[in-house]
Amino acid sequence: MNTALSPAASAQADAFTLTLDGAEVSAYPGETLWQVAKRAGETIPHLCFKDAPGYRPDGNCRACMVEVEGERTLAASCLREAKPGMVVKSATSERARISREGVMELLIADQPDRDDSPDRSSHFWAMADQLAIDATAVKERLPSREARSEPTVHHVVAREGSLTHDTTHSAMNVNLDACIECNLCVRACREVQVNDVIGLANRGAASKIVFDFDDPMGDSTCVACGECVQACPTGALMPATLIDEQGHGDSKVADKTVDSVCPYCGVGCQLTYHVKNDEILFVEGRDGPSNQNRLCVKGRFGFDYPRHPSRLTVPLIRREGVPKGIDPDFDPAKPLSHFREASWDEALDLAAKGLVDLKKAHGPDALAGFGSAKCSNEEAWLFQKLVRTGFGSNHVDHCTRLCHASSVAALMECIGSGAVTASFMQAQEADVVILTGCNPTVNHPVAATFFKQAAKRGTKLIIIDPRGQAMGAYAHKALRFTPGSDVSLFNAMLNVIVTEELYNQEYIDAHTEGFEALKAHVRDLTPEAMAESCGVSAEAIREVAREYAKADKAMIFWGMGISQHTHGTDNARCLISLALACGHTGRPGTGLHPLRGQNNVQGASDAGLIPMVMPDYQPVSDAQVRSAFEELWNTKLDDKPGLTVVEIMEAIHDGTIRGMYIQGENPAMSDPDLSHARAALAKLEHLVVQDLFVTETAQFADVILPASAWPEKDGTVTNTNRQVQMGRQAMPLPGDAKPDWWIIQEVAKRFGLPWNYQHPRDVFAEMTRGMPSLDHISWERLEREDSVTYPCPADDAPGADVVFSDAFPTASGRAKFSPTLPLPPDEPIDADYPTVLTTGRQLEHWHTGSMTRRARVLDDLEPEAVASLAPSELRRLGVQPGDPLTITTRRGEITLRTRADSLMPEGMVFVPFCYAEAAANILTNPALDPFGKIPEFKYAACRLSKAAAREAVSP
Amino acid sequence: MNENAHLLASDGDGFILDPEDLRAIEHERAHYEQPQAACIEALKIVQRRHGWVPDGAIVAIAETLGIGPAEVEGVATFYSLIFRQPVGRHVILICDSSSCFLVGYDTLREALSSHLGIGFGQTTADDRFTLLPVCCLGACDGGPALMIDDDTYGPVAAEDVAALLEDYP
């Protein structure tokens, strides 16, 4: 755990003693008797108390009673604070034993029989066992309630649709017969994840756990984070995968548990896979530094994609004469219509030969590779090493180009480091938090829970975004500005800070350069001058600027709404200038945090899957850098920076790039202007795709190599907080599928490279020699500790949660202000294309959907493409919610169903890009940010029209 | 609040808080450190205008107070005098606690019930009266007691019922 946030260290000094069951034990201020007993080795029985971060003791079940000398009544140990000199009896108290047993017996009387219960191994039954209670005898002695009471207050009738046995949700089952109304699920939903769905309704014998207004769970606003399932002590709430047709279940049937990391977003939640017969049964959150046991719907319930029927299990080679392209009749589960099966030797030989031949005929610049931010650090390292030492160029990139390339460009330029300056946990320490161009409840759901908790405790959240969002309910202020006017808005804020002299001169003098130039630059960019184009009042801009500047501790978080613009780098430069001007970096509760998207986009970038830099962002153009890597790899390296993702597509059209190796990326869905990108893929003379499924991209491949899913391999990943974390293999690879590192190595061997790695740990060892950021972080340490933050000062010290307190990693040690000028979007709306199209993700689906649309629960929750529009916009178009709509841009059109979304501004439509059947990127604009080379996914001019009935999307 | 919360609001029953009620709730909110504390008053404010509290009002109160609808619902369904389904124009609360029980509660209830043709929890067909029990009106010196809207009566004799109800059109 992060020591900076833990009060333990300071409390240690004030330790005192008390007497527990006759022995003297030590206690710390603020500890409860339950916690003191636990450290002394005794787990006091408990039901409504959960010994986990974020759970407040409630003291309602009375199973943890202890006797305190001098007090008439027993005390609930989960609530009672320890005091010096207390004399407490727990295990030795007869009164406490009788009381605890009494509570358990009354509850057992109303429970289903253990063998009929939804979880025969629940915490509840474990507590009954701990107290050695004979449940059968209790049930014979005590009458059970006939049925859950109907509400007794006459005017409160059970609502229509109210269920006791609720199987309406595809991920979770509810059986209220087993519910003891301990309230843990309410605290899980309301206080831990702050989702506010579960409540305790009615009163007395009629009281009942409800979802919203006693709605069936599947119809409620539940976002399926599953925190309640993990908290429930009885199995009344259970993962559906553990419940049989009779409603019986058992949470302890797994053969083994494996500790790993979530494969989805950049939060990097630690989790435990429960595995039986080599299949994942269910997933639980672990107490990792970025998640404290929490998970979201994807991490908890989206685990079955590796066993989807369309999973690749043998290498495939394109059949003679089958044209490359997206064939609407192609079924990824039956690829033999277009491909034939091959042995690994044949597939690898053909895969490599095609690339080697092109290199021989046209030189190293004829080849390029896309690595993956979804694979491990070790696989990213090997992939870029293969391109640099085998292909012989720097034409290696990955999807960071499509997400935070512009943020990284600005951060490298201004502060000399591309990673976050502080973890998102620091938001809990901040007085003011700006969230801009990000929608954390959707894209970083577990980070969002910490933001919501911070807001409830008094942190002022300021949301700066054209779209409304769920976090808005907790916002102190929200600036919903006109899409595309971000740079104007941020410059206006800088103007306020300069003209009202709200900047931190001391910090500026000590740590920065270029402030005078910035001051002069923003002089005319007043809020009054910018207000109209931003669609926000000058006063609102002034207020937000003042609140940020005047805060003692403030942080800025941003996402793709900042980066995915042709002015993405300028956006990030502005945010950096704001933080530097106010001295809001380098201290706890301050910092700059681009929320990273993929589970390993930070790590893949660190490991060098970037065309202009070697691992650790060391420029390829720097001779010293090159010579160090030439020595490490014993080969000559190209000194020319390579091409980026979208540039590579252009180079294919130009005829320069002729062959590609794509590992775990899906540019045929993720690139802007898909028709153009797909035409490029079709033009390639040789394409090798390494993936789990025949993705849209693989439909252009000559050779497809069946690779490994995250739960099938060992490897490390680095999350948005700079935490390097250990992932462990939980299940075997299906069929002939192979680990990615092995496949890359086999291709490398066929390029004549003398590689001989036996395990990812060998790769990691090599990485530590080329990447100073990994100093003091070894594979063994990660196996032991699961997570270490970089930079890390010593083998036995925790890494730095907050960096750049003293100096920035630039030549001068100072950070730099980089002034920016407002630029319009590349394709402004006009009379022909009057609506703004913006794209992004959904909570349930991951990127291009290749994994999540093959996860049963996730695809069940969001099964089809939808366009979200303001209700008023739908009315204007004469389109009913649910009816189909055609969206047209200068590049193409798609037709999909509509959804009324009161959080959308008028004049804008949002389309998630995960649906192949209505691929949003057919519409998007490939115009690039000049510095980050990132396309403008967040803004394209489009036209909306009611789709004719016959064009309706099939269900 | 979560990603789906606005869907609950938008598929509600189109309930919009009266501006005066909104001001009153915000006024109450300002009295307390925790928004939860203003919950009961908010529910009473809505009920005063509408006679009962529809789902949409729960969502609106939750939004105004910045807490979850489930939390407001928990409070609303806990208190027996917050009505979560429609009631008549006048609500009759008849005391069924021990002192009234000893001095003729039974007879009074029978009289009311047969006069109105409804039982507890029911509303007359003309939406005029809803009949409910209440555990104590604190009018033990004048039992059997009952309350119609904000007016307390007792002792009430069975034969006075018809005349008494005349005052509540």
Side-chain angles (χ1 to χ4, degrees):
Chain A
M1 286 313 312
N2 188 318
T3 48
L5 298 176
S6 157
S10 60
Q12 302 263 337
D14 306 319
F16 57 86
T17 60
L18 56 82
T19 307
L20 176 66
D21 291 326
E24 192 159 285
V25 296
S26 64
Y28 302 116
E31 271 192 320
T32 63
L33 291 178
W34 196 94
Q35 290 169 315
V36 173
K38 185 192 172 198
R39 260 189 314 99
E42 183 195 350
T43 302
I44 298 177
H46 57 289
L47 296 171
C48 76
F49 170 61
K50 186 173 167 67
D51 182 25
Y55 283 88
R56 166 181 62 79
D58 201 43
N60 70 56
C61 78
R62 321 309 279 177
C64 68
M65 306 307 275
V66 294
E67 200 175 336
V68 180
E69 193 176 275
E71 296 184 11
R72 190 178 58 84
T73 57
L74 299 175
S77 62
C78 71
L79 272 179
R80 178 59 66 85
E81 196 178 326
K83 296 286 180 204
M86 259 183 171
V87 178
V88 182
K89 280 162 71 177
S90 172
T92 56
S93 166
E94 182 62 5
R95 284 176 67 203
R97 184 188 64 79
I98 293 168
S99 173
R100 294 169 186 177
E101 282 181 14
V103 165
M104 286 302 295
E105 288 179 355
L106 289 169
L107 290 171
I108 286 170
D110 285 343
Q111 281 286 305
D113 288 341
R114 188 165 190 167
D115 288 332
D116 293 335
S117 76
D119 184 7
R120 64 178 326 283
S121 302
S122 68
H123 173 81
F124 178 86
W125 290 115
M127 287 294 116
D129 290 346
Q130 186 179 326
L131 289 165
I133 293 174
D134 179 348
T136 317
V138 169
K139 280 179 165 293
E140 279 169 9
R141 186 157 50 85
L142 296 174
S144 73
R145 61 181 163 195
E146 290 294 307
R148 183 161 293 272
S149 312
E150 282 302 308
T152 51
V153 184
H154 297 260
H155 60 286
V156 179
V157 290
R159 294 173 72 105
E160 202 179 331
S162 168
L163 296 170
T164 305
H165 294 236
D166 183 348
T167 55
T168 57
H169 199 283
S170 54
M172 292 168 277
N173 276 18
V174 186
N175 179 354
L176 293 183
D177 288 341
C179 176
I180 58 171
E181 281 127 40
C182 69
N183 244 329
L184 263 176
C185 57
V186 178
R187 279 172 278 157
C189 189
R190 190 177 294 169
E191 297 173 15
V192 178
Q193 292 256 358
V194 202
N195 281 330
D196 290 316
V197 177
I198 304 183
L200 182 62
N202 305 332
R203 167 168 80 172
S207 60
K208 183 189 181 209
I209 292 299
V210 296
F211 304 93
D212 295 333
F213 300 131
D214 204 1
D215 293 323
M217 191 187 211
D219 298 342
S220 74
T221 60
C222 170
V223 285
C225 69
E227 184 77 27
C228 57
V229 167
Q230 189 160 328
C232 179
T234 67
L237 291 156
M238 277 288 271
T241 48
L242 290 180
I243 298 286
D244 67 17
E245 304 224 318
Q246 284 75 46
H248 306 158
D250 190 340
S251 59
K252 297 281 190 292
V253 289
D255 305 328
K256 61 171 180 181
T257 59
V258 178
D259 289 344
S260 190
V261 190
C262 178
Y264 291 106
C265 85
V267 170
C269 298
Q270 290 190 8
L271 49 72
T272 299
Y273 291 118
H274 292 253
V275 181
K276 187 177 173 65
N277 299 331
D278 289 335
E279 302 279 337
I280 297 170
L281 267 186
F282 70 106
V283 174
E284 283 192 304
R286 261 196 306 151
D287 190 9
S290 68
N291 68 311
Q292 297 185 352
N293 297 309
R294 302 171 200 182
L295 294 175
C296 78
V297 60
K298 291 189 290 293
R300 194 182 300 275
F301 297 118
F303 55 79
D304 55 348
Y305 66 91
R307 292 295 179 266
H308 190 269
S310 64
R311 175 69 191 274
L312 282 167
T313 56
V314 280
L316 297 175
I317 292 173
R318 178 172 295 276
R319 288 185 188 279
E320 287 281 331
V322 173
K324 295 181 175 185
I326 307 270
D327 176 352
D329 294 329
F330 178 77
D331 177 0
K334 295 175 187 148
L336 298 184
S337 55
H338 292 53
F339 299 89
R340 65 174 175 85
E341 294 187 348
S343 69
W344 269 106
D345 276 340
E346 186 193 4
L348 285 166
D349 287 347
L350 184 67
K353 183 174 184 300
L355 297 171
V356 170
D357 287 352
L358 284 170
K359 182 182 171 187
K360 274 188 194 144
H362 304 285
D365 281 337
L367 301 182
F370 290 165
S372 176
K374 296 228 70 62
C375 290
S376 67
N377 285 322
E378 297 74 32
E379 289 158 350
W381 174 273
L382 289 184
F383 194 87
Q384 58 91 32
K385 183 178 172 185
L386 166 67
V387 173
R388 294 196 154 109
T389 65
F391 294 10
S393 76
N394 289 306
H395 301 317
V396 60
D397 206 358
H398 75 295
C399 69
T400 191
R401 191 64 46 209
L402 308 176
C403 62
H404 265 307
S406 47
S407 309
V408 171
L411 286 165
M412 291 299 295
E413 173 195 2
C414 298
I415 68 170
S417 159
V420 301
T421 73
S423 83
F424 63 69
M425 288 296 188
Q426 293 296 332
Q428 299 178 100
E429 306 275 301
D431 302 309
V432 169
V433 164
I434 289 181
L435 299 172
T436 181
C438 59
N439 190 358
T441 54
V442 173
N443 299 313
H444 302 86
V446 171
T449 67
F450 293 102
F451 297 151
K452 289 189 274 191
Q453 285 183 319
K456 283 172 83 172
R457 281 199 299 263
T459 298
K460 289 178 176 171
L461 287 188
I462 297 174
I463 299 175
I464 306 180
D465 202 295
R467 284 172 71 196
Q469 55 179 275
M471 199 78 84
Y474 301 93
H476 167 66
K477 285 205 168 74
L479 292 185
R480 289 180 65 172
F481 62 92
T482 306
S485 66
D486 352 30
V487 178
S488 307
L489 178 67
F490 297 136
N491 269 310
M493 285 174 66
L494 283 166
N495 170 281
V496 175
I497 289 166
V498 165
T499 54
E500 298 187 10
E501 297 186 356
L502 303 173
Y503 47 83
N504 182 338
Q505 191 66 51
E506 201 181 327
Y507 181 90
I508 291 166
D509 291 345
H511 298 292
T512 72
E513 56 199 24
F515 185 62
E516 290 308 314
L518 181 90
K519 260 170 118 172
H521 178 82
V522 299
R523 195 167 39 221
D524 298 331
L525 304 172
T526 62
E528 287 69 22
M530 299 291 114
E532 197 190 335
S533 65
C534 296
V536 179
S537 77
E539 196 46 37
I541 298 173
R542 286 189 183 279
E543 281 174 15
V544 165
R546 286 174 193 145
E547 292 203 82
Y548 175 76
K550 288 179 181 173
D552 178 33
K553 291 175 285 185
M555 282 188 86
I556 301 177
F557 292 89
W558 73 92
M560 312 288 93
I562 288 297
S563 61
Q564 288 176 339
H565 285 284
T566 46
H567 53 267
T569 305
D570 283 345
N571 274 342
R573 284 170 174 149
C574 288
L575 299 177
I576 296 164
S577 292
L578 282 168
L580 294 177
C582 303
H584 286 328
T585 59
R587 289 175 294 132
T590 69
L592 289 159
H593 191 124
L595 284 156
R596 307 308 301 256
Q598 303 256 11
N599 60 332
N600 199 34
V601 71
Q602 184 66 54
S605 304
D606 296 347
L609 279 182
I610 301 184
M612 46 292 246
V613 292
M614 303 294 286
D616 263 359
Y617 310 94
Q618 306 173 75
V620 295
S621 50
D622 182 327
Q624 248 184 327
V625 167
R626 273 199 320 280
S627 86
F629 279 96
E630 283 169 349
E631 197 183 312
L632 180 66
W633 292 335
N634 194 26
T635 184
K636 194 89 189 107
L637 293 172
D638 188 10
D639 61 356
K640 196 164 79 264
L643 297 174
T644 60
V645 167
V646 182
E647 290 172 332
I648 286 171
M649 292 297 160
E650 286 305 323
I652 299 170
H653 280 296
D654 295 346
T656 335
I657 298 231
R658 294 160 183 269
M660 277 196 78
Y661 181 10
I662 299 179
Q663 178 218 12
E665 292 243 321
N666 194 6
M669 279 294 286
S670 62
D671 273 25
D673 190 5
L674 279 185
S675 309
H676 189 71
R678 288 173 179 178
L681 292 172
K683 194 179 173 210
L684 282 172
E685 289 166 41
H686 189 65
L687 173 61
V688 181
V689 172
Q690 176 174 324
D691 214 311
L692 304 179
F693 308 102
V694 184
T695 59
E696 290 72 19
T697 302
Q699 292 180 43
F700 294 86
D702 294 276
V703 184
I704 306 176
L705 306 173
S708 48
W710 180 247
E712 296 162 355
K713 61 189 171 191
D714 294 329
T716 66
V717 281
T718 308
N719 70 359
T720 190
N721 288 343
R722 291 181 268 103
Q723 287 147 349
V724 186
Q725 310 204 80
M726 180 59 76
R728 298 182 181 86
Q729 184 174 6
M731 60 208 282
L733 285 149
D736 254 351
K738 296 284 186 190
D740 288 73
W741 67 267
W742 181 90
I743 304 173
I744 300 165
Q745 170 157 288
E746 288 302 313
V747 174
K749 283 177 180 169
R750 285 161 175 80
F751 266 83
L753 300 173
W755 291 13
N756 187 24
Y757 304 99
Q758 301 297 317
H759 187 270
R761 74 168 67 84
D762 304 341
V763 183
F764 192 87
E766 181 179 305
M767 291 169 68
T768 58
R769 289 192 280 140
M771 296 173 64
S773 65
L774 295 179
D775 285 356
H776 306 290
I777 304 176
S778 66
W779 183 273
E780 292 69 29
R781 183 175 179 187
L782 288 169
E783 278 194 320
R784 202 167 55 240
E785 299 180 20
D786 284 342
S787 175
V788 181
T789 302
Y790 78 76
C792 182
D795 289 354
D796 56 357
D801 208 52
V802 177
V803 293
F804 313 146
S805 304
D806 302 322
F808 289 94
T810 56
S812 61
R814 286 168 178 273
K816 189 171 107 185
F817 287 95
S818 185
T820 59
L821 273 175
L823 278 176
D826 178 72
E827 186 186 53
I829 50 174
D830 55 26
D832 292 336
Y833 297 94
T835 304
V836 178
L837 165 78
T838 193
T839 65
R841 297 204 300 244
Q842 276 177 312
L843 171 63
E844 291 81 1
H845 284 299
W846 186 257
H847 273 236
T848 65
S850 57
M851 290 155 67
T852 51
R853 296 207 70 201
R854 290 176 171 91
R856 187 187 58 82
V857 166
L858 303 177
D859 202 46
D860 192 56
L861 292 173
E862 281 290 357
E864 65 173 325
V866 284
S868 298
L869 297 101
S872 54
E873 191 75 32
L874 283 176
R875 280 195 296 275
R876 193 182 61 76
L877 293 162
V879 174
Q880 291 293 318
D883 280 358
L885 175 81
T886 298
I887 308 176
T888 311
T889 67
R890 290 184 174 85
R891 293 155 294 280
E893 68 171 46
I894 61 172
T895 298
L896 70 176
R897 287 191 196 283
T898 54
R899 179 176 288 172
D901 183 343
S902 53
L903 299 174
M904 287 296 297
E906 286 186 10
M908 189 184 230
V909 57
F910 170 78
V911 182
F913 63 94
C914 57
Y915 296 98
E917 60 273 33
N921 281 322
I922 286 176
L923 307 173
T924 48
N925 183 1
L928 298 184
D929 171 273
F931 309 96
K933 310 283 185 189
I934 189 170
E936 193 151 59
F937 288 119
K938 287 289 183 269
Y939 193 112
C942 74
R943 187 169 63 222
L944 307 176
S945 53
K946 195 172 175 170
R950 62 185 168 76
E951 286 179 67
V953 191
S954 59
Chain B
M1 214 72 64
N2 68 54
E3 200 36 39
N4 292 337
H6 68 281
L7 301 175
L8 182 71
S10 39
D11 73 19
D13 36 24
F15 183 92
I16 293 170
L17 270 181
D18 184 271
E20 196 184 316
D21 291 353
L22 178 65
R23 272 197 301 280
I25 293 170
E26 280 170 347
H27 178 74
E28 288 295 332
R29 163 74 186 87
H31 287 181
Y32 304 101
E33 204 167 306
Q34 299 294 330
Q36 283 83 351
C39 210
I40 299 175
E41 284 309 317
L43 290 162
K44 284 164 67 183
I45 288 164
V46 168
Q47 182 159 299
R48 204 168 296 142
R49 183 174 302 275
H50 298 270
W52 66 293
V53 181
D55 288 358
I58 298 278
V59 175
I61 290 171
E63 266 176 23
T64 309
L65 297 180
I67 60 179
E71 201 162 358
V72 180
E73 173 74 344
V75 175
T77 57
F78 183 87
Y79 290 101
S80 54
L81 293 181
I82 298 294
F83 307 130
R84 284 289 278 118
Q85 62 175 4
V87 290
R89 291 195 297 283
H90 307 289
V91 176
I92 305 171
L93 300 169
I94 172 165
C95 176
D96 66 355
S97 64
S98 33
S99 13
C100 287
F101 197 85
L102 290 172
V103 294
Y105 149 78
D106 263 354
T107 320
L108 180 58
R109 186 196 64 194
E110 272 306 314
L112 271 167
S113 222
S114 62
H115 181 80
L116 295 169
I118 53 172
F120 278 153
Q122 295 176 336
T123 300
T124 53
D126 58 0
D127 283 336
R128 186 170 161 202
F129 291 108
T130 295
L131 185 61
L132 291 170
V134 68
C135 67
C136 184
L137 291 172
C140 308
D141 59 325
L146 59 76
M147 201 169 166
I148 306 177
D149 298 340
D150 290 333
D151 312 320
T152 311
Y153 299 95
V156 182
E159 54 273 22
D160 296 341
V161 162
L164 185 57
L165 296 183
E166 285 305 308
D167 292 343
Y168 297 91

